[in-house]
Amino acid sequence: ADLVSLTISNGATLVLSNWNTMVTASNVDIAGTVTLPPAFTDSQMSNRVHFVSTNFTLSGSGRIDTTGKGYRGGWGTEAVPYAAGHGPGKGAISGSHYGGGAGHGGRGYRGNAGLNGGAYDSLMAPLFPGSGGAGLPASGSPTEGANGGGAVRINAADACTIDGTIAADGIAATWTSGGGSGG
């Protein structure tokens, strides 16, 4: 439904789920937090933050945070020790080397003979979440590749004021796994 206004108060949190979810309101005022459910795999439903409004305000205390809420990193285990991440730019592994980092707007970090994730999406107007890095066990313990950042899209027809924080970072890698790409 189209809303006249949506206000997220300081201290309140709104969690958006489903890629097709879109908040449509004449006036959006965020002083609290907007986020997503946990990271997802290639076979799960993805999520994004998408606002369509006439006037959009993210106040100084407001935060849209999709850090690590994009595609999941690969999970290296004893049985399957070398696991690629998820997403179109997923990091991969060659042999028993460290995991490669995920790509998005550019290629991911190759690491120690890991296979980096390729570039995808638009450089000027990205729409998709970040991909996950490859996972490799450290000293026999399972290690997950780092998750990519989630997607954030804001369409404001008139005024758009951003005084708060928008974060869609990928997560940094552990010493044996690949990092996630930003959303």
Side-chain angles (χ1 to χ4, degrees):
D2 291 349
L3 304 172
V4 173
S5 66
L6 173 68
T7 301
I8 310 297
S9 303
N10 193 353
T13 299
L14 173 64
V15 179
L16 297 176
S17 65
N18 192 328
W19 185 261
N20 295 322
T21 297
M22 179 174 60
V23 176
T24 305
S26 295
N27 298 298
V28 175
D29 186 7
I30 301 170
T33 301
V34 177
T35 190
L36 297 171
F40 48 89
T41 66
D42 293 325
S43 62
Q44 295 173 313
M45 178 183 63
S46 58
N47 306 290
R48 70 174 168 183
V49 170
H50 188 180
F51 287 102
V52 176
S53 65
T54 304
N55 300 299
F56 182 90
T57 302
L58 182 65
S59 68
S61 63
R63 184 169 182 82
I64 298 174
D65 190 354
T66 64
T67 298
K69 309 261 174 139
Y71 285 101
R72 257 188 51 191
W75 182 257
T77 66
E78 291 286 332
V80 182
Y82 315 114
H86 297 274
K90 63 188 171 193
I93 293 177
S94 174
S96 62
H97 298 288
Y98 297 142
H104 190 169
R107 295 189 66 79
Y109 179 67
R110 185 165 180 232
N112 180 15
L115 302 174
N116 53 357
Y120 64 97
D121 210 357
S122 165
L123 286 174
M124 301 306 293
L127 297 174
F128 298 102
S131 294
L136 176 74
S139 303
S141 299
T143 301
E144 185 170 12
N147 298 336
V152 177
R153 186 168 187 184
I154 300 168
N155 300 82
D158 287 341
C160 183
T161 305
I162 308 290
D163 290 328
T165 301
I166 299 175
D169 301 331
I171 302 293
T174 63
W175 69 278
T176 60
S177 297
S181 62

